Amino acid sequence: MQIVLGLDADGLAAPATTTGAAAEAGGLVTGPAGLLRMLESLLGLALPPVPTVRRLARWRAKLAAADGPARFWHRSFATDPFATARLLLDWRDTLVEAGWTPTVLGPDAPARLLDLAAAERAAPSLPPGETDRLRRAINALRDDPPPTPVVTRLRLLDPPDLLPPGLRALIAALAAHGADVIEEPAPDGAALGDLGTVQGMLAGLREARVAEDGSFVLLEAETEGAAAELVADLLAAAPDPGGWTIVTTRPTGLLDAALRRRHLPRLGRDARSPLRGILQVLPLALAVRWRPFDARRLLELLQLPRSPIPREVRHKLLRLLPETPGRGSSAWRTAIEDGLAECRERLTAEDPSRAASRMDEATAAVATWLEAPLADPDHGLPTDEFLIACNGVARWAQRQAAADVPLAAVLAAHALTLAEAARETGLPALPRLDLERLLDTILAEGEADPEAPAEAAPWTVATAPGAVWASMPRLLWWGFDEPALPQMLPWSAEEQQALRAAGCLPWPPEAALATDSLAWRRPIMAARRGAVLVAIRPAGTEAHPLAHELAPLLEPYPGLRLRAEALLVSAAPVLAGVALPRAAAIPAMLPSARGTWQAGTPISVRRDTDSATAIESLLGCPFGWTMQYRAGLSPGRFASIAEEERLIGL
């Protein structure tokens, strides 16, 4: 098997195959995670991935077992155990990736490294993460290799000496097992015009001849909407849309909306949200289990488009809570009883054979979310009750998933995973802070919009600049913004020296920054005929490092650096040499003014009772009065609870 390996190629790469063809067998373009999954499958090491929240819960238990007044994490752990565990788990995984084990350093090692080794040795065992799986694959290739090479050729997009230590060790193991490892040459678009000048400058040449021919443009925008409109116009008007490679380093939600208005396909790289759609049920369902009772959180749970509480009970409580924002009153109990009675009538009418079982589900939901005792935030929610709550959400979500509700299956998996993590902490009760840390961890990655997937398009899409590894006609970089930069190592000079001596020093930030710098250049150097870099920069935000590097070229020539807001209102805008379509708007004539409108049917203004507000509406706008008091129309609104001052009384 032939593999093209790049640090940024775990998403979409350009080209997506090793040959540049639409599809291939026996080849793969991937990043470190994809390479590891493939090797695990070939070596018989594949296991289901362990959710991060479960590893965090187990690591917290290990820290608690190894804790003591002398441990460097002791005071932080006493204040916020899960936040401390999350940070130290990241440190531990980084060390393991570099080859660290609890016994690799001697007893004279720095204290913090010895403390981490003690936590690693403490019970219970830690489920393997990606770095553990990486080391397991390296050991398998070294100690028990298969009879034939699993990879015949490995083409590296990044310099081998700058790669993370764990990946370098894996590449060395593959080379020892017969893989031909070569460094892929950087793409060279060999462009002419302004783009060629920019490529020469990035290659170290300082002579610049700029013609402002549109082959290179940095489009800067204060707002994402302005940039999206112009980019959509450009793709709609471009004579060769198939010649574009689009690098998306920021969400494309607004750009996708602009593309759809022009009948073009979506890129589908929308932002991932932890509270998308039905996923909001889990945090809200747990937020109503604490003292003091939070009526506002319950209102949010009741007003979700889909809620585990029966609809009739929801409607009763939505009318009650704004006036009586408490729990357990006679009005509260009456609302629940009346709602359950109406629910029974509806279920019996819909399906008498299943009415009893569905009514049991409705009653159980009411008991779980509306009648269960509230827990003290400091003492915590008993773990047994927490497991019941999570399983209740999971069962409800599974029924929703059976009805094809988007993301319901994801919600069910989150709830079950959260229950497993709570069980693995070994705690009899979970304080509110700990529970919220677990919830944040499981929701951290978020979910993409299931209603806005990517669509087939003539252009090519890459999800990172380093994933572009071959020449292409034209580049569009959506999100040429300030990137996330590597963080400094958390280890002191003494600790780094000890790790270096043991051969397990983590990836230094200067090496990570060097690979980033090469990756940023790669798509610009690969373009042959044109490049458009789109930077959304509100006031006060920093520019991309490459923009600073190109500043001597950009500042004197305004044709290379365009403002989206100015171009958007231009009568004849040109972007990257393409005239964007514009047409004069013909305003529609307003209806002529009329003092009186005659209704076809007489409408009586007589009512048994009236308020001052109704009379004011009748005199001020008879049409509005008619729609509200005769047609029964009123503005929709969310149920809300007044602020504390109004609840106390004015």
mmCIF file of all heavy atoms in Angstrom, residues 91-120:
data_model
loop_
_atom_site.group_PDB
_atom_site.id
_atom_site.type_symbol
_atom_site.label_atom_id
_atom_site.label_comp_id
_atom_site.label_asym_id
_atom_site.label_seq_id
_atom_site.Cartn_x
_atom_site.Cartn_y
_atom_site.Cartn_z
ATOM 1 N N TRP A 91 -1.221 16.532 29.725
ATOM 2 C CA TRP A 91 0.230 16.437 29.929
ATOM 3 C C TRP A 91 0.688 14.988 29.810
ATOM 4 O O TRP A 91 1.692 14.687 29.165
ATOM 5 C CB TRP A 91 0.608 16.968 31.318
ATOM 6 C CG TRP A 91 0.475 18.446 31.486
ATOM 7 C CD1 TRP A 91 -0.108 19.325 30.623
ATOM 8 C CD2 TRP A 91 0.933 19.214 32.591
ATOM 9 N NE1 TRP A 91 -0.060 20.595 31.134
ATOM 10 C CE2 TRP A 91 0.586 20.560 32.340
ATOM 11 C CE3 TRP A 91 1.580 18.915 33.778
ATOM 12 C CZ2 TRP A 91 0.873 21.593 33.236
ATOM 13 C CZ3 TRP A 91 1.874 19.933 34.673
ATOM 14 C CH2 TRP A 91 1.530 21.259 34.394
ATOM 15 N N ARG A 92 -0.042 14.097 30.461
ATOM 16 C CA ARG A 92 0.329 12.684 30.444
ATOM 17 C C ARG A 92 0.315 12.122 29.028
ATOM 18 O O ARG A 92 1.241 11.426 28.608
ATOM 19 C CB ARG A 92 -0.638 11.924 31.359
ATOM 20 C CG ARG A 92 -0.410 10.421 31.415
ATOM 21 C CD ARG A 92 -1.385 9.689 30.506
ATOM 22 N NE ARG A 92 -1.179 8.248 30.550
ATOM 23 C CZ ARG A 92 -1.535 7.424 29.596
ATOM 24 N NH1 ARG A 92 -2.147 7.883 28.496
ATOM 25 N NH2 ARG A 92 -1.311 6.127 29.706
ATOM 26 N N ASP A 93 -0.732 12.423 28.246
ATOM 27 C CA ASP A 93 -0.825 11.903 26.882
ATOM 28 C C ASP A 93 0.297 12.443 26.003
ATOM 29 O O ASP A 93 0.828 11.734 25.137
ATOM 30 C CB ASP A 93 -2.185 12.250 26.282
ATOM 31 C CG ASP A 93 -3.307 11.397 26.865
ATOM 32 O OD1 ASP A 93 -3.012 10.377 27.512
ATOM 33 O OD2 ASP A 93 -4.487 11.764 26.677
ATOM 34 N N THR A 94 0.663 13.715 26.211
ATOM 35 C CA THR A 94 1.763 14.295 25.435
ATOM 36 C C THR A 94 3.074 13.586 25.740
ATOM 37 O O THR A 94 3.887 13.326 24.845
ATOM 38 C CB THR A 94 1.883 15.791 25.742
ATOM 39 O OG1 THR A 94 0.641 16.435 25.466
ATOM 40 C CG2 THR A 94 2.959 16.433 24.895
ATOM 41 N N LEU A 95 3.278 13.252 27.011
ATOM 42 C CA LEU A 95 4.493 12.525 27.386
ATOM 43 C C LEU A 95 4.495 11.115 26.793
ATOM 44 O O LEU A 95 5.524 10.636 26.298
ATOM 45 C CB LEU A 95 4.604 12.454 28.911
ATOM 46 C CG LEU A 95 4.958 13.753 29.644
ATOM 47 C CD1 LEU A 95 4.885 13.553 31.147
ATOM 48 C CD2 LEU A 95 6.341 14.249 29.233
ATOM 49 N N VAL A 96 3.357 10.433 26.850
ATOM 50 C CA VAL A 96 3.280 9.078 26.308
ATOM 51 C C VAL A 96 3.559 9.088 24.810
ATOM 52 O O VAL A 96 4.233 8.196 24.280
ATOM 53 C CB VAL A 96 1.900 8.465 26.624
ATOM 54 C CG1 VAL A 96 1.686 7.170 25.848
ATOM 55 C CG2 VAL A 96 1.765 8.200 28.120
ATOM 56 N N GLU A 97 3.046 10.092 24.109
ATOM 57 C CA GLU A 97 3.300 10.195 22.665
ATOM 58 C C GLU A 97 4.799 10.266 22.395
ATOM 59 O O GLU A 97 5.294 9.724 21.397
ATOM 60 C CB GLU A 97 2.592 11.431 22.107
ATOM 61 C CG GLU A 97 2.571 11.539 20.591
ATOM 62 C CD GLU A 97 3.782 12.229 20.024
ATOM 63 O OE1 GLU A 97 4.469 12.952 20.781
ATOM 64 O OE2 GLU A 97 4.070 12.047 18.822
ATOM 65 N N ALA A 98 5.547 10.923 23.301
ATOM 66 C CA ALA A 98 6.997 11.064 23.125
ATOM 67 C C ALA A 98 7.766 9.838 23.590
ATOM 68 O O ALA A 98 8.994 9.795 23.431
ATOM 69 C CB ALA A 98 7.487 12.303 23.878
ATOM 70 N N GLY A 99 7.074 8.854 24.204
ATOM 71 C CA GLY A 99 7.754 7.632 24.621
ATOM 72 C C GLY A 99 7.921 7.478 26.113
ATOM 73 O O GLY A 99 8.607 6.551 26.573
ATOM 74 N N TRP A 100 7.266 8.328 26.899
ATOM 75 C CA TRP A 100 7.401 8.262 28.363
ATOM 76 C C TRP A 100 6.639 7.078 28.929
ATOM 77 O O TRP A 100 5.568 6.716 28.449
ATOM 78 C CB TRP A 100 6.861 9.567 28.947
ATOM 79 C CG TRP A 100 6.786 9.624 30.453
ATOM 80 C CD1 TRP A 100 7.777 9.967 31.309
ATOM 81 C CD2 TRP A 100 5.635 9.369 31.262
ATOM 82 N NE1 TRP A 100 7.332 9.937 32.599
ATOM 83 C CE2 TRP A 100 6.011 9.559 32.610
ATOM 84 C CE3 TRP A 100 4.333 8.970 30.980
ATOM 85 C CZ2 TRP A 100 5.123 9.392 33.662
ATOM 86 C CZ3 TRP A 100 3.444 8.794 32.022
ATOM 87 C CH2 TRP A 100 3.840 9.007 33.353
ATOM 88 N N THR A 101 7.220 6.477 29.955
ATOM 89 C CA THR A 101 6.550 5.469 30.771
ATOM 90 C C THR A 101 6.863 5.774 32.228
ATOM 91 O O THR A 101 7.812 6.520 32.518
ATOM 92 C CB THR A 101 7.031 4.039 30.428
ATOM 93 O OG1 THR A 101 8.424 3.939 30.768
ATOM 94 C CG2 THR A 101 6.828 3.720 28.966
ATOM 95 N N PRO A 102 6.107 5.213 33.185
ATOM 96 C CA PRO A 102 6.375 5.532 34.593
ATOM 97 C C PRO A 102 7.764 5.139 35.065
ATOM 98 O O PRO A 102 8.250 5.667 36.066
ATOM 99 C CB PRO A 102 5.293 4.736 35.347
ATOM 100 C CG PRO A 102 4.230 4.485 34.356
ATOM 101 C CD PRO A 102 4.907 4.377 33.036
ATOM 102 N N THR A 103 8.428 4.220 34.355
ATOM 103 C CA THR A 103 9.734 3.737 34.806
ATOM 104 C C THR A 103 10.891 4.258 33.967
ATOM 105 O O THR A 103 12.041 3.882 34.220
ATOM 106 C CB THR A 103 9.745 2.198 34.772
ATOM 107 O OG1 THR A 103 9.470 1.752 33.434
ATOM 108 C CG2 THR A 103 8.687 1.633 35.708
ATOM 109 N N VAL A 104 10.608 5.116 32.969
ATOM 110 C CA VAL A 104 11.685 5.551 32.082
ATOM 111 C C VAL A 104 12.638 6.513 32.781
ATOM 112 O O VAL A 104 13.811 6.620 32.411
ATOM 113 C CB VAL A 104 11.094 6.184 30.807
ATOM 114 C CG1 VAL A 104 10.503 7.564 31.095
ATOM 115 C CG2 VAL A 104 12.151 6.280 29.707
ATOM 116 N N LEU A 105 12.168 7.212 33.817
ATOM 117 C CA LEU A 105 13.004 8.132 34.582
ATOM 118 C C LEU A 105 13.348 7.499 35.923
ATOM 119 O O LEU A 105 12.519 6.827 36.540
ATOM 120 C CB LEU A 105 12.288 9.468 34.804
ATOM 121 C CG LEU A 105 11.889 10.224 33.537
ATOM 122 C CD1 LEU A 105 11.091 11.469 33.899
ATOM 123 C CD2 LEU A 105 13.116 10.612 32.730
ATOM 124 N N GLY A 106 14.552 7.752 36.379
ATOM 125 C CA GLY A 106 14.994 7.181 37.641
ATOM 126 C C GLY A 106 14.429 7.903 38.842
ATOM 127 O O GLY A 106 13.685 8.886 38.720
ATOM 128 N N PRO A 107 14.775 7.456 40.051
ATOM 129 C CA PRO A 107 14.252 8.071 41.277
ATOM 130 C C PRO A 107 14.748 9.493 41.509
ATOM 131 O O PRO A 107 14.215 10.197 42.369
ATOM 132 C CB PRO A 107 14.745 7.119 42.374
ATOM 133 C CG PRO A 107 15.935 6.425 41.776
ATOM 134 C CD PRO A 107 15.651 6.303 40.323
ATOM 135 N N ASP A 108 15.767 9.915 40.765
ATOM 136 C CA ASP A 108 16.287 11.274 40.935
ATOM 137 C C ASP A 108 15.636 12.264 39.969
ATOM 138 O O ASP A 108 16.103 13.403 39.854
ATOM 139 C CB ASP A 108 17.807 11.277 40.718
ATOM 140 C CG ASP A 108 18.533 10.415 41.747
ATOM 141 O OD1 ASP A 108 18.021 10.314 42.882
ATOM 142 O OD2 ASP A 108 19.588 9.847 41.408
ATOM 143 N N ALA A 109 14.606 11.860 39.276
ATOM 144 C CA ALA A 109 13.927 12.748 38.331
ATOM 145 C C ALA A 109 13.249 13.896 39.069
ATOM 146 O O ALA A 109 12.990 13.801 40.279
ATOM 147 C CB ALA A 109 12.899 11.962 37.528
ATOM 148 N N PRO A 110 12.952 14.993 38.387
ATOM 149 C CA PRO A 110 12.236 16.107 39.029
ATOM 150 C C PRO A 110 10.919 15.650 39.648
ATOM 151 O O PRO A 110 10.278 14.696 39.180
ATOM 152 C CB PRO A 110 12.020 17.080 37.876
ATOM 153 C CG PRO A 110 13.140 16.798 36.926
ATOM 154 C CD PRO A 110 13.364 15.316 37.016
ATOM 155 N N ALA A 111 10.497 16.364 40.693
ATOM 156 C CA ALA A 111 9.373 15.916 41.529
ATOM 157 C C ALA A 111 8.083 15.793 40.731
ATOM 158 O O ALA A 111 7.311 14.846 40.928
ATOM 159 C CB ALA A 111 9.199 16.884 42.702
ATOM 160 N N ARG A 112 7.798 16.733 39.855
ATOM 161 C CA ARG A 112 6.517 16.685 39.144
ATOM 162 C C ARG A 112 6.432 15.454 38.240
ATOM 163 O O ARG A 112 5.366 14.841 38.106
ATOM 164 C CB ARG A 112 6.300 17.960 38.321
ATOM 165 C CG ARG A 112 6.091 19.207 39.157
ATOM 166 C CD ARG A 112 5.377 20.289 38.374
ATOM 167 N NE ARG A 112 6.070 20.661 37.143
ATOM 168 C CZ ARG A 112 5.572 21.479 36.220
ATOM 169 N NH1 ARG A 112 4.372 22.008 36.392
ATOM 170 N NH2 ARG A 112 6.259 21.782 35.136
ATOM 171 N N LEU A 113 7.544 15.080 37.620
ATOM 172 C CA LEU A 113 7.537 13.891 36.770
ATOM 173 C C LEU A 113 7.376 12.629 37.605
ATOM 174 O O LEU A 113 6.708 11.674 37.183
ATOM 175 C CB LEU A 113 8.819 13.839 35.950
ATOM 176 C CG LEU A 113 8.962 14.958 34.895
ATOM 177 C CD1 LEU A 113 10.349 14.941 34.286
ATOM 178 C CD2 LEU A 113 7.903 14.813 33.819
ATOM 179 N N LEU A 114 7.971 12.604 38.810
ATOM 180 C CA LEU A 114 7.780 11.464 39.698
ATOM 181 C C LEU A 114 6.337 11.381 40.182
ATOM 182 O O LEU A 114 5.777 10.280 40.314
ATOM 183 C CB LEU A 114 8.733 11.567 40.892
ATOM 184 C CG LEU A 114 10.227 11.385 40.573
ATOM 185 C CD1 LEU A 114 11.059 11.575 41.833
ATOM 186 C CD2 LEU A 114 10.501 10.015 39.959
ATOM 187 N N ASP A 115 5.707 12.538 40.433
ATOM 188 C CA ASP A 115 4.298 12.540 40.845
ATOM 189 C C ASP A 115 3.408 11.984 39.741
ATOM 190 O O ASP A 115 2.479 11.201 39.996
ATOM 191 C CB ASP A 115 3.864 13.957 41.210
ATOM 192 C CG ASP A 115 4.421 14.414 42.556
ATOM 193 O OD1 ASP A 115 4.987 13.572 43.277
ATOM 194 O OD2 ASP A 115 4.297 15.613 42.875
ATOM 195 N N LEU A 116 3.666 12.381 38.493
ATOM 196 C CA LEU A 116 2.871 11.851 37.383
ATOM 197 C C LEU A 116 3.078 10.345 37.226
ATOM 198 O O LEU A 116 2.137 9.601 36.917
ATOM 199 C CB LEU A 116 3.235 12.564 36.080
ATOM 200 C CG LEU A 116 2.503 13.868 35.763
ATOM 201 C CD1 LEU A 116 2.942 14.395 34.416
ATOM 202 C CD2 LEU A 116 0.994 13.679 35.779
ATOM 203 N N ALA A 117 4.309 9.892 37.441
ATOM 204 C CA ALA A 117 4.570 8.454 37.368
ATOM 205 C C ALA A 117 3.795 7.710 38.454
ATOM 206 O O ALA A 117 3.264 6.618 38.218
ATOM 207 C CB ALA A 117 6.069 8.195 37.506
ATOM 208 N N ALA A 118 3.699 8.307 39.653
ATOM 209 C CA ALA A 118 2.929 7.674 40.724
ATOM 210 C C ALA A 118 1.455 7.597 40.356
ATOM 211 O O ALA A 118 0.785 6.585 40.621
ATOM 212 C CB ALA A 118 3.124 8.467 42.024
ATOM 213 N N ALA A 119 0.914 8.658 39.740
ATOM 214 C CA ALA A 119 -0.489 8.631 39.303
ATOM 215 C C ALA A 119 -0.704 7.583 38.220
ATOM 216 O O ALA A 119 -1.717 6.883 38.200
ATOM 217 C CB ALA A 119 -0.903 10.009 38.806
ATOM 218 N N GLU A 120 0.253 7.434 37.327
ATOM 219 C CA GLU A 120 0.127 6.448 36.252
ATOM 220 C C GLU A 120 0.101 5.022 36.810
ATOM 221 O O GLU A 120 -0.627 4.157 36.300
ATOM 222 C CB GLU A 120 1.289 6.611 35.268
ATOM 223 C CG GLU A 120 1.247 5.682 34.078
ATOM 224 C CD GLU A 120 0.218 6.064 33.030
ATOM 225 O OE1 GLU A 120 -0.401 7.134 33.165
ATOM 226 O OE2 GLU A 120 0.035 5.291 32.078
#
